[in-house]
Amino acid sequence: MQQQELKKDSGHQEHPIKLYLMVWGLLFVLSTFSYLVDYFQFHGLLRWGLIIAFMLLKAGLIVAVFMHMAWERLALVYAILLPPLALLVLVGLMALEGGHTFLTRMLFFH
């Protein structure tokens, strides 16, 4: 009884092992699906879309459960996740501008 009270008083939170095993199993299934994309020889946009979708799902599970972000305060989650998201948006905008510049140069200089 005292051990349970100590765990509550110390602020330390323990999660059931079942949660970690289920997430580990789901990561295994998602990895299997990712490999099956290559096995069934999907091509083009479908292939890359599936691979990226499975990659993002696995990364999200790892960050949420194994890095304990699912149980953190929302302000901390925003502080950690928003800067990389902003960088990805800016990189995407730069890639669009770079493509436009390349096509313009190809049109006028060749």
Side-chain angles (χ1 to χ4, degrees), residues 91-105:
V91 166
L93 289 172
M94 286 187 288
L96 286 173
E97 183 182 359
H100 177 269
T101 303
F102 178 73
L103 290 175
T104 305
R105 288 180 179 174

Side-chain angles (χ1 to χ4, degrees), residues 5-96:
E5 290 175 8
L6 285 175
K7 286 183 183 178
K8 289 179 185 177
D9 290 337
S10 67
H12 180 71
Q13 185 177 5
E14 292 184 16
H15 305 289
I17 191 74
K18 181 181 177 183
L19 172 71
Y20 292 109
L21 291 175
M22 287 178 60
V23 170
W24 184 83
L26 187 56
L27 288 170
F28 180 77
V29 169
L30 289 172
S31 294
T32 302
F33 287 158
S34 182
Y35 287 116
L36 286 176
V37 168
D38 282 334
Y39 181 78
F40 289 120
Q41 299 177 357
F42 290 119
H43 294 287
L45 210 52
L46 176 64
R47 175 182 185 210
W48 292 110
L50 287 172
I51 288 174
I52 289 175
F54 291 137
M55 176 194 65
L56 289 174
L57 284 171
K58 290 189 297 185
L61 276 172
I62 289 168
V63 168
V65 177
F66 293 116
M67 295 177 71
H68 304 284
M69 287 297 278
W71 299 283
E72 292 293 338
R73 290 187 179 140
L74 196 56
L76 181 63
V77 173
Y78 285 157
I80 291 174
L81 295 181
L82 284 183
L85 182 63
L87 287 174
L88 284 174
V89 168
L90 292 174
V91 166
L93 289 172
M94 286 187 288
L96 286 173

